[in-house]
Amino acid sequence: MVNAIIGKFFIDVIGMNAPMYTMPWALPGPIGAFLTTGLDLRSLVLMAVLLVVDFVIYYPFCKAYDHQLCLEESAKETAGTSDADAIAAQENVAKALEAVKDKAEQIRVLVLCQGAGTSTLLANALREGAAAKGIDLVSQSGAYGSHYETMDQYNVIVLAPQARMYYDAMKADTDRLGIKLLTTRGKEYIDLTNDPEGAIDWIVQELAK
């Protein structure tokens, strides 16, 4: 309804050409609008305005739905974990931490995502968590595809959720080089970036497997 009102405003007030041709429904919106209005450049402006307005309208609902899914996922995890399981998990973490410290081997982690944005958050969390627990760790972030020449410098590679699709493609290379390849899902990844000590615990436990 909002789109129709804005479109009507562009035609009646701004003077944009009304649609004069019938285009195939599958034609991308901006291209279709440009062609159906007889190549009126104002139709491209209209498309840009509609994209911004629609984003503003839908964004709160998408955030609310995302929040709801996170709560449901968290509730399932909490329901499935008893006190005994929690104590056992803490003991396993403590043992894994001691094993890592006894090895006195530096953990070198490379976190990969699509554009080296979210991967930086986890890399920073890992460094902070390692410093708090006295673990010798270095971590770097990068975009998938930029790692080929440097991956042999690390002993752990973590794929962010948006890069999970590359897991199978990378596994052969990481196995050949003796690198531990890990990946996470959405909520888990967000939790790790917000919990430095939890992030380092996760890495240590994965290395102990």
Side-chain angles (χ1 to χ4, degrees):
M1 183 174 63
V2 173
N3 288 354
I5 292 172
I6 295 175
K8 183 68 171 174
F9 176 82
F10 266 70
I11 293 171
D12 291 349
V13 178
I14 297 180
M16 183 187 78
N17 293 336
M20 58 185 74
Y21 306 108
T22 301
M23 296 287 113
W25 69 268
L27 197 65
I31 297 175
F34 186 55
L35 295 177
T36 195
T37 56
L39 308 183
D40 191 329
L41 292 174
R42 287 168 291 193
S43 66
L44 298 179
V45 178
L46 170 63
M47 291 297 102
V49 171
L50 294 183
L51 285 172
V52 172
V53 170
D54 292 350
F55 176 84
V56 171
I57 291 173
Y58 275 100
Y59 183 74
F61 298 97
C62 291
K63 289 294 291 183
Y65 182 58
D66 180 65
H67 180 65
Q68 177 185 337
L69 293 179
C70 286
L71 290 177
E72 291 175 358
E73 187 175 343
S74 179
K76 289 179 181 178
E77 291 177 356
T78 302
T81 303
S82 65
D83 292 340
D85 291 336
I87 293 173
Q90 291 176 359
E91 292 176 350
N92 289 336
V93 170
K95 290 178 181 178
L97 284 170
E98 289 302 320
V100 167
K101 290 180 180 179
D102 289 342
K103 281 186 177 181
E105 180 182 355
Q106 185 180 60
I107 302 175
R108 302 181 302 280
V109 184
L110 175 63
V111 186
L112 297 174
C113 65
Q114 294 286 31
T118 57
S119 57
T120 301
L121 300 176
L122 182 55
N124 291 341
L126 286 171
R127 284 195 295 271
E128 184 179 339
K133 297 204 172 190
I135 295 175
D136 186 10
L137 176 144
V138 294
S139 59
Q140 298 292 333
S141 60
Y144 184 87
S146 65
H147 63 282
Y148 292 109
E149 295 181 358
T150 60
M151 64 186 296
D152 59 352
Q153 300 173 17
Y154 302 91
N155 46 36
V156 181
I157 293 180
V158 180
L159 296 177
Q162 61 268 44
R164 280 176 60 89
M165 68 186 77
Y166 304 120
Y167 182 89
D168 292 336
M170 285 195 67
K171 195 68 170 64
D173 289 333
T174 55
D175 286 350
R176 175 175 52 83
L177 295 170
I179 301 170
K180 185 82 170 181
L181 180 62
L182 305 174
T183 187
T184 64
R185 295 191 179 276
K187 182 180 182 301
E188 180 187 22
Y189 189 83
I190 294 171
D191 290 343
L192 292 174
T193 60
N194 292 323
D195 180 12
E197 294 194 15
I200 195 63
D201 287 347
W202 174 71
I203 285 288
V204 167
Q205 288 183 87
E206 291 295 330
L207 288 176
K209 291 180 180 178

